[in-house]
Amino acid sequence: MSLRGYTRVLIAGATLVLGLAGLTATASAAPASSSVAAPAAAAVRTVYYSASSYSAQADQAAQIWNSKAPNLRLVRGGSATIRISATTGGGSRAYPCGFGCATIYIDTRDVAAGNDALRIVAHEMGHGLGLPDNYNGVCSYLMSGGSAGTSCRNPYPNAQEAARVNQLAGGRLAAFAPTVKSGPYTG
């Protein structure tokens, strides 16, 4: 893990500790006779992205994820923690660094071979949002990636994939979602 990655983990850990300390203080200050309150609605998690290449596809993929995971808001700009660029060779891939954080490379050879650029970008963003590869060859699974073949044009996560991202985005411990490794898209 890079120094930048360690720094992010340390900051996230400190934030969690301070947040839990605040919850403990609040809980101990509550009167003993208070009734149990309903859980608060999950806050929407904003994740910033940038795209030096495949910009239109990145914007479309962000809209797709935003429509499928209500606890998530992907926004272009800001201090981007998901960064997308093009490469030639090695396959399209993501290097996740926690929830909402990834360096993504879209291989121009994958697109030239007939794979749908929007599906590839949405798939690789899925890694930055905590999803692992699922090379089952089924087109309705976004995370099946290139195993579904070049005829698959589906850029949408299925209900299970969307629910998992929504859960990770809305959870208090979302910053500590397991990091997934991503192989080449055509894997």
Side-chain angles (χ1 to χ4, degrees):
M1 182 181 292
S2 68
L3 179 58
R4 187 177 189 179
Y6 282 120
T7 303
R8 287 187 183 168
V9 169
L10 288 173
I11 290 170
T15 302
L16 176 66
V17 169
L18 291 173
L20 291 176
L23 287 175
T24 304
T26 303
S28 63
S33 63
S34 68
S35 62
V36 176
V44 173
R45 183 92 173 260
T46 301
V47 173
Y48 294 95
Y49 71 94
S50 64
S52 61
S53 301
Y54 297 97
S55 183
Q57 291 86 354
D59 292 342
Q60 287 179 289
Q63 288 175 354
I64 288 168
W65 280 111
N66 289 342
S67 72
K68 297 294 183 179
N71 291 335
L72 174 68
R73 194 175 123 220
L74 282 164
V75 177
R76 176 188 283 274
S79 296
T81 54
I82 293 180
R83 295 164 305 282
I84 303 165
S85 58
T87 190
T88 302
S92 297
R93 58 201 179 273
Y95 296 100
C97 47
F99 180 84
C101 181
T103 300
I104 295 171
Y105 297 102
I106 306 302
D107 191 335
T108 57
R109 292 180 184 174
D110 288 346
V111 177
N115 290 291
D116 184 63
L118 176 56
R119 178 175 168 81
I120 295 171
V121 172
H123 169 94
E124 299 303 343
M125 274 186 166
H127 290 306
L129 300 173
L131 297 178
D133 280 317
N134 178 359
Y135 292 125
N136 63 7
V138 179
C139 186
S140 63
Y141 284 77
L142 176 62
M143 300 313 291
S144 70
S147 72
T150 57
S151 64
C152 179
R153 300 286 195 236
N154 172 36
Y156 296 93
N158 66 24
Q160 181 182 8
E161 293 165 329
R164 179 64 178 147
V165 168
N166 196 52
Q167 177 187 36
L168 291 170
R172 290 187 66 73
L173 300 178
F176 295 99
T179 302
V180 294
K181 298 206 186 257
S182 166
Y185 180 81
T186 56

